[in-house]
Amino acid sequence: MATGKINVSVDNIFPLIKKFLYSDHEIFLRELISNATDATLKLKHLSSIGEAKVEYGNPLIEIKVDKEGKKLHIIDQGLGMTEEEIKKYINEVAFSGAEEFLDKYKDAGKDAGIIGHFGLGFYSAFMVADKVEIITKSFKDEPAVHWSCDGSPEFSIEKSEKEDRGTEIVLHIADDSTEFLEEGRITELLTKYNKFMPIPIKFGTKTETLPKPEGAKEEDPAPTQEVDNIINNPTPAWTKQPADLKDEDYNSFYRELYPMQFEEPLFHIHLNVDYPFNLTGILYFPKLTNDLSVQRDKIQLYQNQVFVTDNVEGIVPEFLTMLRGVIDSPDIPLNVSRSYLQADGAVKKISSYITRKVADKLSSLFKNNREEFESKWNDIKIVIEYGMLSEEKFFEKADKFALFPTVDGKFYTFDEMKEALKDKQTDKDDKLVVLYASDKEAQHSYIEAAKNKGYEVLLMDSPIISHLMQKLETSKENISFARVDADHLDNLIKKDEAQISKLSDEEKESLKTKLEEVITDKGYTIQLEAMDSDSAPFIITEPEFMRRMKEMQQSGGGGMFGMGNMPEM
Ligand code: ADP
Ligand code: MG
């Protein structure tokens, strides 16, 4: 047996690792399973190019909890390590073997989907264990090795009896980390981080019900058998080619991602690019729901099928964080601050690629199936309108497909709307005046009055619509928006000549005096002449700019849906 000292510059690196390396102790398991996956994929690669003369077979990674012994085992059937390799790869802290391997096999290695890049991966084991053992046998014809380290920089290394190829990591779980001896906790971690990793991961067994044999009686119990409990799907939908997937496949993957989500997604966008950066994924437009537990479902970020985070802020433009799905990219730098991410060139490119793909998908949906697009408008408008406000590039594209519904259920694009209104709704300066209602019920009589005059009324009821109108008024020429109950109605040129109140002059005078006694706020105007409807003999209006100002003060600062501040207007 040999002992030695781990080659690090700081003597007491372990307490440092424990405290500062990762704030999230639970990621140790992700790191160790990533290593086991790497080791398996490396062996697959070496055997495929004839460098490892081994039967690759169908290797598994196994996780075992030994509650009494206070141990957690991570066992793989990968390429293993020789004594030399342990000294080189394990004893030299912060020396990333994955990087060296990648260097050697460069492009081939990339194709093999090697993970790595998590830095001090293996040593994160010391965040939860006070002693770690490695028992490993290399695919090379060399004796198995047993390495052991109790958290001080001292380690021991000796021969081992292990016969089958691969590596077993044994963690002696520390007293402050016994949660990781609970099966439930481990299942939770495996489901969170490893659900889509490329090598099958076994955690215990489960009972499977078999079909009843022919001629079995009704009351006979169905036969059962114990099978490996594989916790992951090694080939999730996003790793496949869009051509190989049907709508059902996308929908069932959605349920796999969000098991508590019962609504079908509205549509999906398959992302797939390998230059100038590598990225795959599937994004979904969710159906809006009031169920808060479901609203918490978010886009998940993966690297080579390993879950990293569901906080994609800085990677995906803010307006798209309302979508769901998966983004998998090895090119997104990890363990860096959000502000670094936002400044990173590659990340910027990724963000604009995603924005473009989403706009293209919406645009093709609009072109190819307008009816369906219209039927989904209510669920998707908030994303589109928010995108138009916050991303100029998106605005340019969405301008062609963003819809403006009327109170009667018709849908106009911006250009169609202009065309439809240009002859009937202009003011004295020839400016197009778009009348809209924000609440069909409450503004019913105003809507009726406007319709009686031959005007068209749009239904604009999303919470950020006043910001969007403002933007359209400034970026487009000669257009203004006015709510049906605004004082604008009388400024329209196409003033109906037959617009005569049903009241006599005396009746009007006395009504006006009475109303003015009640309505003392000078911000409102009482118009007796404005309406000719059976439902209302007079209307009270408020100037559009006054109302909008109040509205924007209410929604402006606080940010929508927790999405931070509204863009500068
Ligand atoms: P990285 O994975 O970034 O290289 P780690 O600290 O996680 O860094 O692992 C260091 C090295 O130890 C790996 O690159 C690999 O060479 C070796 N290693 C770790 N775990 C295993 C394993 N289960 N089987 C074979 N080699 C392993
Ligand atoms: Mg690693």
Side-chain angles (χ1 to χ4, degrees):
M1 168 157 153
T3 57
K5 204 161 177 193
I6 286 170
N7 188 10
V8 285
S9 45
V10 209
D11 239 14
N12 47 358
I13 194 160
F14 291 114
L16 277 179
I17 288 172
K18 208 166 170 140
K19 278 218 182 73
F20 302 116
L21 180 56
Y22 294 105
S23 47
D24 247 351
H25 283 186
E26 62 178 38
I27 60 97
F28 78 94
L29 190 59
R30 173 187 82 181
E31 294 301 305
L32 296 178
I33 295 179
S34 293
N35 285 349
T37 302
D38 279 356
T40 312
L41 289 172
K42 282 176 191 169
L43 184 70
K44 182 182 186 178
H45 180 63
L46 292 177
S47 90
S48 78
I49 62 170
E51 246 183 68
K53 309 256 180 291
V54 295
E55 191 61 53
Y56 178 69
N58 295 305
L60 278 181
I61 292 167
E62 186 173 359
I63 315 299
K64 278 194 210 160
V65 176
D66 169 5
K67 211 168 168 175
E68 267 110 80
K70 295 190 179 171
K71 286 185 286 190
L72 186 66
H73 302 250
I74 295 103
I75 306 155
D76 69 60
Q77 298 157 23
L79 87 178
M81 283 178 276
T82 62
E83 187 172 340
E84 276 311 295
E85 286 164 343
I86 287 218
K87 284 180 177 155
K88 187 169 168 199
Y89 297 130
I90 298 296
N91 294 347
E92 294 189 24
V93 177
F95 182 92
S96 170
E99 236 157 79
E100 194 199 44
F101 183 88
L102 266 185
D103 242 21
K104 191 164 167 201
Y105 294 99
K106 268 203 179 83
D107 301 329
K110 235 182 214 157
D111 292 342
I114 287 144
I115 296 152
H117 287 296
F118 286 120
L120 291 168
F122 170 75
Y123 280 93
S124 63
F126 287 97
M127 296 191 299
V128 301
D130 42 29
K131 179 179 170 189
V132 178
E133 295 174 76
I134 306 174
I135 302 139
T136 181
K137 178 155 173 47
S138 167
F139 75 96
K140 297 168 192 163
D141 195 19
E142 282 192 44
V145 200
H146 184 166
W147 176 94
S148 165
C149 178
D150 66 1
S152 71
E154 315 288 331
F155 67 89
S156 73
I157 193 162
E158 60 190 323
K159 300 266 178 296
S160 144
E161 298 299 303
K162 184 173 167 65
E163 283 184 356
D164 37 354
R165 181 198 65 229
T167 301
E168 173 165 1
I169 308 282
V170 185
L171 305 185
H172 297 256
I173 298 295
D175 287 340
D176 62 2
S177 302
T178 49
E179 61 184 289
F180 301 113
L181 294 168
E182 302 297 332
E183 260 177 47
R185 181 76 171 118
I186 296 297
T187 302
E188 188 190 324
L189 293 186
L190 293 174
T191 325
K192 177 169 174 188
Y193 293 103
N194 310 98
K195 198 165 147 190
F196 300 113
M197 286 191 67
I199 303 294
I201 300 165
K202 173 184 171 183
F203 186 46
T205 57
K206 62 178 176 193
T207 316
E208 205 175 64
T209 311
L210 298 168
K212 286 188 189 181
E214 198 113 355
K217 291 201 201 82
E218 183 98 29
E219 63 272 21
D220 288 345
T224 58
Q225 70 177 6
E226 284 295 293
V227 291
D228 287 350
N229 179 32
I230 302 295
I231 59 92
N232 57 329
N233 168 7
T235 51
W238 84 84
T239 63
K240 298 178 184 167
Q241 289 302 316
D244 298 335
L245 296 164
K246 298 196 186 67
D247 278 353
E248 295 114 80
D249 299 320
Y250 285 107
N251 286 356
S252 67
F253 178 62
Y254 187 72
R255 274 189 298 276
E256 216 178 315
L257 265 181
Y258 308 110
M260 300 311 286
Q261 181 66 253
F262 299 112
E263 291 276 10
E264 302 262 282
L266 296 170
F267 49 86
H268 63 264
I269 301 158
H270 200 130
L271 307 168
N272 199 338
V273 59
D274 45 35
Y275 184 83
F277 51 84
N278 229 292
L279 182 137
T280 50
I282 301 173
L283 294 180
Y284 294 92
F285 266 75
K287 188 151 173 53
L288 292 183
T289 156
N290 291 325
D291 183 348
L292 287 174
S293 66
V294 161
Q295 277 175 14
R296 254 181 269 128
D297 291 336
K298 294 193 192 122
I299 296 177
Q300 302 180 357
L301 177 67
Y302 287 74
Q303 280 204 349
N304 295 319
Q305 296 174 238
V306 187
F307 174 82
V308 178
T309 175
D310 62 4
N311 180 358
V312 294
E313 194 191 312
I315 297 162
V316 163
E318 203 178 15
F319 78 101
L320 292 179
T321 55
M322 282 182 273
L323 304 191
R324 302 214 173 96
V326 170
I327 291 171
D328 188 336
S329 173
D331 292 330
I332 297 169
L334 296 178
N335 298 328
V336 293
S337 71
R338 296 279 150 194
S339 56
Y340 175 86
L341 267 187
Q342 264 146 0
D344 185 78
V347 175
K348 269 193 193 146
K349 283 198 192 102
I350 288 174
S351 164
S352 61
Y353 165 78
I354 294 173
T355 307
R356 184 158 45 83
K357 286 298 267 195
V358 171
D360 290 349
K361 175 76 184 191
L362 289 166
S363 164
S364 81
L365 216 73
F366 169 75
K367 282 191 195 129
N368 302 332
N369 197 344
R370 175 146 177 180
E371 210 174 307
E372 191 192 335
F373 188 82
E374 288 179 356
S375 73
K376 289 173 175 166
W377 179 251
N378 234 349
D379 285 303
I380 61 179
K381 66 182 176 190
I382 191 75
V383 177
I384 296 175
E385 288 167 353
Y386 191 66
M388 290 174 81
L389 278 171
S390 51
E391 303 274 325
E392 203 46 44
K393 284 242 168 64
F394 187 80
F395 179 90
E396 282 160 27
K397 293 201 167 194
D399 196 27
K400 306 271 187 302
F401 57 71
L403 293 179
F404 297 87
T406 71
V407 288
D408 303 318
K410 237 190 295 172
F411 288 90
Y412 290 128
T413 62
F414 186 82
D415 286 343
E416 290 165 356
M417 173 175 79
K418 248 171 69 180
E419 193 54 35
L421 303 189
K422 74 170 194 279
D423 294 328
K424 50 181 173 186
Q425 272 168 246
T426 42
D427 67 7
K428 53 186 181 318
D429 305 322
D430 243 1
K431 203 175 201 179
L432 202 70
V433 180
V434 182
L435 290 177
Y436 70 94
S438 57
D439 184 330
K440 239 166 123 172
E441 239 84 288
Q443 292 150 8
H444 174 75
S445 35
Y446 294 96
I447 295 173
E448 286 309 305
K451 275 164 63 178
N452 283 342
K453 291 184 178 168
Y455 299 142
E456 240 180 308
V457 182
L458 302 187
L459 181 64
M460 302 179 90
D461 55 0
S462 37
I464 50 172
I465 200 71
S466 40
H467 296 273
L468 185 61
M469 290 184 305
Q470 190 101 338
K471 173 152 177 88
L472 288 167
E473 283 170 351
T474 48
S475 63
K476 306 270 189 186
E477 264 159 38
N478 259 341
I479 186 157
S480 71
F481 289 83
R483 204 163 87 174
V484 272
D485 54 349
D487 60 356
H488 237 88
L489 212 54
D490 274 353
N491 298 337
L492 296 186
I493 274 185
K494 193 181 170 296
K495 215 170 177 179
D496 199 327
E497 280 92 55
Q499 187 204 101
I500 300 160
S501 174
K502 287 179 179 133
L503 302 175
S504 69
D505 283 353
E506 289 94 87
E507 281 172 324
K508 278 193 226 161
E509 265 322 299
S510 86
L511 183 60
K512 192 158 182 172
T513 326
K514 284 197 186 112
L515 286 168
E516 275 164 358
E517 278 166 23
V518 194
I519 299 152
T520 49
D521 189 333
K522 291 286 167 262
Y524 295 95
T525 316
I526 297 153
Q527 290 179 277
L528 295 174
E529 300 285 351
M531 301 193 83
D532 185 26
S533 136
D534 292 337
S535 51
F538 63 89
I539 56 172
I540 300 163
T541 60
E542 181 185 18
E544 174 74 8
F545 77 91
M546 288 272 293
R547 193 187 43 70
R548 230 191 273 179
M549 221 162 69
K550 287 185 211 159
E551 229 172 65
M552 292 175 76
Q553 270 162 8
Q554 278 162 17
S555 76
M560 300 272 325
F561 313 106
M563 292 189 299
N565 289 334
M566 291 299 297
E568 294 287 319
M569 307 290 309

